[in-house]
Amino acid sequence: MKPTLFKYYKTVCLVAFILVQASVQAQTTSKEQILFLTPQWQGERFDDGRPKVADDVLERMKKVTIEEAWGVLRNEGYHNQFEGGWQPLHDDVVVVGRALTVQYMPNRPDVATVIKENGTKEGRIGNTNSWPIDMLSEGDVYVADAFGKIVDGTLIGDNLGNSIYAKSKTGVVFNASSRDMEGLSEIEGFNAFVRGWHPSFLTEVMLLGINQPIRMGAATVLPGDVVLAKKEGVVFVPSHLAEKVVVTSEVVRLRDLFGISRLKEGKYTPGQIDNKWTDEIEKDFSGWLKDHIDELPVPKEQIQELLKKRMW
């Protein structure tokens, strides 16, 4: 066999192998692939390979502003992690959690058929848009790209919404629409960030993959990313940067409180507080933290860690 023909044959075989593997695992990304895509995460993982950012970090993330998270990520070179333009169910209910990502595509009967058949063999129950819900754990956020479809693009209604909240205690972020706004709004603690609301049912949409990288507007989202969703928009924080985002936010929050307090007392001028602090002000700040450690809106243990590390 000629070398060029041999190379061509090898390429064809490789492509065929990849397609076979994809058809076997059409719904879920393998653990090995998730490990490959998230090498900078060094902490605990779910059985499926997703990074498992600590519950404590998730809880503290709720107080982080969109601007603070965005600023930290930009400084780290992550410029494509924010997406706006949502129609949230509630403006005042923050959604924070670990992303369980789902990719939907416009329906194609031949592909949809084999995906459903494979799902049945794997023991999956119900319509494909309910399959990701069965996989949710507490602290997960169901993040789905359904190509911005509004009419006939309603991924959930109030029945599925109740199931999602029962499992995750969080909410959803959909590049698509939802239905049953009135019913969903009655689920206390639940929120949905969607592209629109419509009374239609989901049709001509097929599920292509679960726990794979997806695009949410201008943002790239990986399974296990930490979702921070507020009325301004949604930031998808890479798992290995989640704690840094939280700690940086807490430092900024404490420094702002200190600055405001000292300005009200007249101890410093606005010019002193708004510029790089002198060693004298930094020393005063450390003393102020110790004096007010039980009163501040940051856990006492975290303030003690900050004082040890002196991250400013």
Side-chain angles (χ1 to χ4, degrees):
M1 185 180 291
K2 293 182 179 180
T4 53
L5 287 175
F6 179 70
K7 288 181 180 178
Y8 174 75
Y9 176 75
K10 282 180 66 179
T11 301
V12 170
C13 289
L14 177 61
V15 171
F17 174 77
I18 292 171
L19 289 174
V20 168
Q21 289 296 103
S23 68
V24 170
Q25 295 184 338
Q27 286 77 53
T28 58
T29 301
S30 70
K31 180 177 181 178
E32 291 71 25
Q33 288 172 309
I34 295 177
L35 292 173
F36 172 77
L37 291 168
T38 57
Q40 293 191 56
W41 172 253
Q42 300 300 313
E44 185 180 357
R45 292 178 181 267
F46 288 98
D47 291 341
D48 59 17
R50 279 189 305 144
K52 188 177 182 180
V53 174
D55 291 338
D56 171 64
V57 173
L58 297 182
E59 188 61 32
R60 289 157 57 198
M61 185 72 75
K62 293 176 182 178
K63 295 183 179 179
V64 176
T65 69
I66 293 295
E67 290 76 14
E68 288 167 349
W70 180 84
V72 173
L73 296 182
R74 291 276 290 187
N75 288 338
E76 293 292 324
Y78 290 76
H79 303 284
N80 305 296
Q81 300 307 127
F82 172 80
E83 176 66 5
W86 306 97
Q87 293 188 27
L89 179 65
H90 301 290
D91 284 342
D92 58 348
V93 177
V94 178
V95 171
V96 169
R98 311 172 192 93
L100 188 146
T101 58
V102 185
Q103 180 68 64
Y104 292 93
M105 299 282 281
N107 189 53
R108 175 171 162 148
D110 55 344
V111 177
T113 297
V114 295
I115 285 176
K116 289 178 181 177
E117 289 175 349
N118 191 52
T120 300
K121 291 176 184 177
E122 293 176 349
R124 299 186 188 273
I125 301 171
N127 294 325
T128 55
N129 63 318
S130 69
W131 294 357
I133 299 173
D134 295 333
M135 298 172 63
L136 290 170
S137 300
E138 187 166 340
D140 285 345
V141 177
Y142 181 0
V143 181
D145 175 22
F147 52 96
K149 188 172 184 178
I150 306 297
V151 180
D152 300 332
T154 52
L155 292 181
I156 63 168
D158 54 1
N159 287 336
L160 293 184
N162 274 283
S163 179
I164 289 167
Y165 190 73
K167 290 175 176 292
S168 69
K169 299 296 186 289
T170 59
V172 301
V173 181
F174 291 159
N175 184 25
S177 62
S178 291
R179 65 194 310 271
D180 298 329
M181 177 188 274
E182 187 173 349
L184 288 171
S185 66
E186 295 174 0
I187 307 172
E188 187 174 353
F190 176 84
N191 205 356
F193 287 75
V194 298
R195 293 305 192 188
W197 297 89
H198 202 273
S200 58
F201 291 94
L202 184 68
T203 59
E204 291 303 312
V205 173
M206 66 178 182
L207 182 149
L208 192 65
I210 301 173
N211 275 340
Q212 67 180 41
I214 61 173
R215 171 188 166 189
M216 295 293 282
T220 297
V221 187
L222 266 61
D225 280 357
V226 174
V227 177
L228 173 61
K230 297 190 172 185
K231 62 182 178 180
E232 305 101 304
V234 183
V235 177
F236 302 96
V237 181
S239 55
H240 66 281
L241 291 174
E243 188 165 10
K244 183 165 190 174
V245 166
V246 167
V247 171
T248 302
S249 169
E250 290 172 344
V251 171
V252 170
R253 202 175 311 142
L254 293 171
R255 289 172 77 88
D256 285 347
L257 285 172
F258 167 78
I260 292 169
S261 173
R262 290 299 192 243
L263 286 171
K264 287 181 177 179
E265 295 168 2
K267 184 168 183 176
Y268 302 117
T269 68
Q272 288 176 300
I273 293 297
D274 283 345
N275 286 312
K276 180 177 172 57
W277 289 357
T278 63
D279 290 342
E280 178 188 352
I281 297 177
E282 291 285 5
K283 185 177 179 181
D284 186 23
F285 176 50
S286 294
W288 179 85
L289 287 176
K290 293 174 184 176
D291 293 341
H292 297 82
I293 196 167
D294 294 318
E295 310 163 16
L296 297 170
V298 172
K300 180 177 179 179
E301 297 76 14
Q302 186 58 31
I303 295 175
Q304 290 170 336
E305 285 299 312
L306 293 176
L307 287 167
K308 286 182 194 175
K309 295 178 181 177
R310 285 301 303 264
M311 295 184 66
W312 50 87

